[in-house]
Amino acid sequence: MMNLRHSKRALSLVVIALGSIGALAEGAYSQSSKPSTISVTDKPSPAPARWLGLIGEYGPDDDILLILEKDGKLQAAFGRVNPESLAEVSRSVFRFAPDRPNGGKQIVFTRGANGRATQVQIAKTTYKWRQLGPEEGRAQLQVKPVRPVSELIKEAQAAKPPIESGEFLPSDLVEITQLDPTIKLDIRYATTNNLFGSVFYSQPRAFLQRPAAEAVVRIHCRLQTMGYGLLIYDAYRPWYVTRVFWDATPDDKKLFVADPAKGSRHNRGAAVDLTLYDLTTGRPVEMVATYDETTDRSYPNYPGGTSLQRWYRDLLRSVMEAAGFTVYEAEWWHFDYRDWQRFPIGNQVFEEIGGS
C-alpha cells in the first residue's frame, strides 16, 4: 500500500513468533521470527462467537490491556506481553487462574447494545475499549487530506519523478489477471474506499514486473490446493500518485507515507498489497487488521486477534516469502519482491501499459 510508518508510540513494541508473545523491543515488531511452513491441517477453529466482542485493546497508550484468543482460550496480556488464560464464569465475566500473577481476580466486561465491550474492570481498575480499526459499518480507516486531492493530482501529474543513477532492468509490467483471471481484485485506489477517500486510479487494474507477477501466479496456484486464492488491493503505482499521497498528508503524519523524492517500491512495480480469499465462499478471509489500517494491529507479528486470524496472516506470509517476497515490517498485506531495487521508478498510467 503506502509504505505506512506508524505513530511514535509504536517505538516500544512487541517481539512475537507465530502468535506467541515475547519481550518488548525498540523499533517495531521483530521480523526475526518468521512463520514456518503452514499446513491446512494446522488450521485452528474459529473463536467462540460470544468472545468476539471482547477481543481487542483496552486502556491508555501507556497501560494497554490486550484481550486475545489463543489455543481455544480467551487470554489477557498487560502491555501486550505475558498473556494469562482466563476461565469463563459467565458471558461477560472471566477469572484469572489462581496460580498466576493476577491470582484468581475477576475480569468483568461491560458490553454495549451491539455486544462489543466498552470497558473491562479488574478489581478497582477500569480499562476503556480502544478504537483501533474502522468504525462499525466502515471498511476503511481514513485521514483528511490537507488540500483537495483533485488539485494535488494536477500538480503531481505536472511534476517529474526523481532522476536515478545506476543501471536498471528494463521495465516489463504485465497485468496480473491476464496471467491468471482467477486472481481477484479489490483495487481500493480506483474507488473512494481508501485511506484518503478519493479516487486515484482511472481503472481497477493491477500490474507487476513480469518476474514478480509470475511469482504471484505460482503462489495463487499453490494456495488453490489449500482452498484459498489471492485478492489484490494494489500493485504497481504511478509515481505521481505517491506524490499526491505525500502532499495530501498533514506534516505531523508525513512519516505515514513514502517520500516521492525517493519513490516507493510500488512505483517500481515490485510491491504488491494483497490478502487471501476463500475459494468456497469467494469472500476475503478475516485478518487481525483491515487493509491500510494505520494501527499497531497492522504489524505482521501483532499478537492480538484470534488464532484463526493469525493463522490466515501467517499462511499468507509463509507462501509469499517462500516465493521470493518479503513482508513489510509494519503491514501484513504489503510484500516486496526480492529484486525490487533493480527496477526503475515508473510513472506510466494504466492506460499506457501494454498487454501481457
Side-chain angles (χ1 to χ4, degrees):
M1 75 122 210
M2 296 177 58
N3 289 346
L4 295 178
R5 298 298 190 268
H6 290 252
S7 60
K8 291 182 179 179
R9 70 184 179 86
L11 293 178
S12 294
L13 295 172
V14 185
V15 178
I16 151 174
L18 253 173
S20 65
I21 305 175
L24 286 171
E26 187 175 278
Y29 292 100
S30 170
Q31 295 302 296
S32 60
S33 298
K34 298 180 180 181
S36 57
T37 302
I38 306 295
S39 169
V40 290
T41 59
D42 300 326
K43 181 180 178 181
S45 300
R50 65 185 182 278
W51 293 356
L52 298 182
L54 310 179
I55 292 170
E57 291 191 4
Y58 300 79
D61 287 356
D62 60 353
D63 189 22
I64 293 173
L65 171 64
L66 175 65
I67 302 296
L68 64 145
E69 180 272 327
K70 186 173 184 288
D71 300 330
K73 297 179 179 180
L74 200 68
Q75 299 190 354
F78 293 91
R80 305 195 188 103
V81 298
N82 302 324
E84 298 182 45
S85 294
L86 304 172
E88 189 170 11
V89 177
S90 67
R91 181 171 177 267
S92 298
V93 179
F94 292 75
R95 188 183 298 278
F96 289 97
D99 59 343
R100 299 294 291 167
N102 283 285
K105 291 179 181 177
Q106 278 195 344
I107 176 168
V108 181
F109 295 89
T110 300
R111 295 179 185 257
N114 60 357
R116 156 57 61 190
T118 58
Q119 65 180 34
V120 60
Q121 186 164 352
I122 303 173
K124 295 182 179 180
T125 303
T126 299
Y127 298 83
K128 298 292 186 181
W129 180 67
R130 297 162 59 89
Q131 175 74 51
L132 295 180
E135 295 180 359
E136 190 171 358
R138 291 179 174 268
Q140 179 76 56
L141 282 176
Q142 293 185 346
V143 299
K144 184 178 179 180
V146 297
R147 291 173 52 202
V149 168
S150 58
E151 293 180 7
L152 296 176
I153 288 178
K154 291 179 181 179
E155 293 176 6
Q157 288 175 330
K160 300 294 183 183
I163 298 175
E164 299 184 286
S165 60
E167 296 184 2
F168 296 94
L169 294 173
S171 181
D172 185 16
L173 292 170
V174 297
E175 190 163 10
I176 300 170
T177 54
Q178 289 293 319
L179 300 183
D180 190 332
T182 64
I183 294 176
K184 288 181 175 289
L185 301 181
D186 181 9
I187 307 301
R188 295 287 179 90
Y189 293 118
T191 73
T192 57
N193 184 27
N194 58 57
L195 194 64
F196 292 104
S198 300
V199 176
F200 294 90
Y201 300 159
S202 59
Q203 300 175 334
R205 303 168 73 186
F207 300 86
L208 283 174
Q209 299 293 347
R210 187 174 296 275
E214 291 175 345
V216 165
V217 170
R218 291 193 296 271
I219 294 164
H220 179 68
C221 291
R222 178 185 173 191
L223 283 167
Q224 286 180 313
T225 67
M226 306 171 72
Y228 302 98
L230 291 175
L231 181 150
I232 295 176
Y233 292 121
D234 196 21
Y236 163 74
R237 178 186 305 149
W239 174 84
Y240 82 87
V241 176
T242 295
R243 163 74 182 265
V244 176
F245 289 167
W246 179 264
D247 291 342
T249 303
D251 287 343
D252 64 342
K253 294 182 173 60
K254 278 287 198 286
L255 73 168
F256 292 164
V257 293
D259 185 350
K262 300 176 181 178
S264 80
R265 297 171 193 187
H266 281 290
N267 300 154
R268 302 178 188 276
V272 61
D273 297 344
L274 74 180
T275 190
L276 303 173
Y277 75 88
D278 188 298
L279 292 182
T280 301
T281 65
R283 294 194 295 268
V285 304
E286 184 176 339
M287 296 290 189
V288 176
T290 55
Y291 172 60
D292 261 10
E293 183 176 309
T294 56
T295 77
D296 290 347
R297 298 197 313 175
S298 295
Y299 279 80
N301 284 335
Y302 176 79
T306 70
S307 297
L308 183 57
Q309 290 170 339
R310 294 189 300 274
W311 184 85
Y312 285 136
R313 185 186 63 189
D314 291 339
L315 172 61
L316 177 64
R317 180 176 174 182
S318 177
V319 296
M320 292 295 291
E321 292 190 338
F325 288 86
T326 302
V327 70
Y328 175 55
E329 65 181 4
E331 299 168 354
W332 63 260
W333 58 83
H334 177 115
F335 292 86
D336 299 313
Y337 190 60
R338 59 187 168 217
D339 292 329
W340 66 266
Q341 71 274 14
R342 301 183 64 194
F343 296 99
I345 292 173
N347 202 26
Q348 288 176 289
V349 297
F350 294 168
E351 293 87 345
E352 296 174 346
I353 302 173
S356 62

